Amino acid sequence: MGLSNKIKELHQKRESLSKGGGEKAVEKQVAMGKLTARERIKAILDPDSFQEYDLFVQHDARDFDMDKKVLAGDGVITGTGTVMGMPVCIFAQDFTVLGGSLGKMHAYKIVKIMDHALKMRIPLIGINDSGGARIQEGVGSLAGYGEIFFRNTLASGVIPQISVILGPCAGGAVYSPALTDWVFVVDKISKMFITGPEVIKSVLGEEISQEDLGGARVHSEITGNAHFFARSEEECFAQIKKLLSFIPWNNTEKPRKITPKPPRDASKIETIVPEDPRQPYDVRDVIRAVTDDSDFFEIQEMWAANLVIGFGRINGQTVGFVANQPMVLAGVLDVDSSDKAARFIRYCDAFNIPIVTFVDLPGYLPGIDQEHMGVIRHGAKVLYAYSEATVPKISVILRKAYGGGYIAMNSRHLRADFVFAWPTAEIAVMGPEGAANIIFRKEIAEAPDPEAMRREKVKEYTEKFANPYVAASKGYIDAVITPAETRKFLEHSLEISVNKNVMMPAKKHGIPPF
Amino acid sequence: MEKKETIIFTLDDREYYTTPTKKFIQRKRYVPRDLKEISSFIPGVVLDVLVHEGQQVHEGQPLLILESMKMANQIKCPVEGKVKTIHVKKGESIAKGVVMITLE
């Protein structure tokens, strides 16, 4: 056989393996409203940038007639490419090949591309669409999962790890996404659970659909397992690209700086926050009023909406925003919002992204359910994360900063680099009504007109303590600034924090209140 | 985000105008545990009933065996007391949260 024939043979082999599980299986995939694994990779990567490896890998299972089965690429496509010029490692499970089930060699391909990502210090994108462990391969498939989880953990905080759930992801398989930084889900397509509806029904007698148990909405709104919710795969891919534009290649780099732009609606900032601390507003409007081009990329928009997190840019530089949201549950901290904030703070810290915190909260959420769910240890995560973070940390107190909430939200005491306050700020142990009722309980009770006395004492407390100047007089606040000055103060603070260098005590690792 | 109804949320004697989260609305109300009622913590089959009505029972004493998830679970008495009523029979399949025995 001459060279030309050998080349022809290679092309034929490639073509046949690239078809995945064959026409019928692909038709089924399309009928479910899903793209194929290969189409997904192409849609995420820059045109013609995909280079595939291990196309010829075959499984070595012998039992259950598996020796007679040829599985294209063993059900997973792996390779490298670029996203807006950023190099990435990528893998996509192919549901058309034996349900994308994970066998030993399937796992080996994933592990190999993960090792590559870690060695090259570039982001890893994993597309999950799999029925789970390949039962015919037994413990070999379990070993495969274990090897993946181990590498997820090694790579955590070193390279960005992105999981895209575009089909089922059940049982042990869910732990790989859970160990990665970002989980993307698509409505009606993504399904994640440890035990499915059938098992739950047989054990507990409780009936539920896959969608209601672990669909995209459930993980975006109830569990917080997902970070980005999309209505279509196309929207999901656009979100992945946008996220990658904000983050660095690895933990030794800084995010790419782009051409700075002024905020689009900067002048609005004076009118967003109502003076009356009882009235709500959307804190995202404040964020948009200070970010470049008023662009704010929100993370976990639907889960624990009483706290807002996401990325924006100030002077072309990526900033992580953490903000209480008075529009939802008065912006309180609770179990979920504490977890949400703490994890994001740790992400920013690991990847050299400065953190800007907007504070307006009445405190922690009271409730038996909250206490019994462990709001103590969950709330402690916020303190831990802010205290531990050594990236530039800037706070702006917009209005209320009461009690434990004040301390937790990147206060001076947790080593914030800069704390600014608007003239509307109230830094106190609690709101004036509550404080007056406690401090002047006796005076109020014994007054001829208790209600009038209460009003008078509330007014007295408000005038004395419900302002930023008491805290400023002690140096806990660096400057009281007008809303319109906020962007300027942030720009300057970030600029002079570029070389921030703090040494923490040497340790193997801390013991955060997980 | 969909439009939600405004609620008044009182914290430290101050009323805040805000919106609730789905989870906040659906949060479980606290029900104090009644130690006199022995309920199934999981659905299963009653393999054996080890006491009879009117019997004096002690804390830690096995009351019945409930098979669930291929495990024979001993259901133990949480307090000192006397068996008032036995609501289940040997071999019976029961759901989760069913009162199996009432003590007095």
Side-chain angles (χ1 to χ4, degrees), chain B residues 25-67:
Chain B
I25 298 166
Q26 293 174 348
R27 73 190 187 281
K28 271 197 184 137
R29 308 282 153 167
Y30 177 67
V31 185
R33 195 178 155 203
D34 185 355
L35 293 175
K36 300 269 178 200
E37 289 193 337
I38 319 291
S39 306
S40 53
F41 66 97
I42 199 166
V45 177
V46 179
L47 280 193
D48 205 357
V49 180
L50 309 170
V51 290
H52 55 81
E53 286 178 6
Q55 184 178 336
Q56 197 69 35
V57 285
H58 315 291
E59 187 182 330
Q61 182 179 344
L63 299 176
L64 53 79
I65 312 284
L66 178 68
E67 191 195 67

Side-chain angles (χ1 to χ4, degrees), chain B residues 41 65 83 93 96 103:
Chain B
F41 66 97
I65 312 284
V83 178
S93 284
K96 186 184 164 184
L103 305 173

Side-chain angles (χ1 to χ4, degrees), chain A residues 82-102:
Chain A
T82 58
V83 179
M84 293 170 301
M86 183 195 263
V88 297
C89 285
I90 191 164
F91 71 84
Q93 293 181 305
D94 187 346
F95 197 80
T96 67
V97 180
L98 211 65
S101 60
L102 184 136

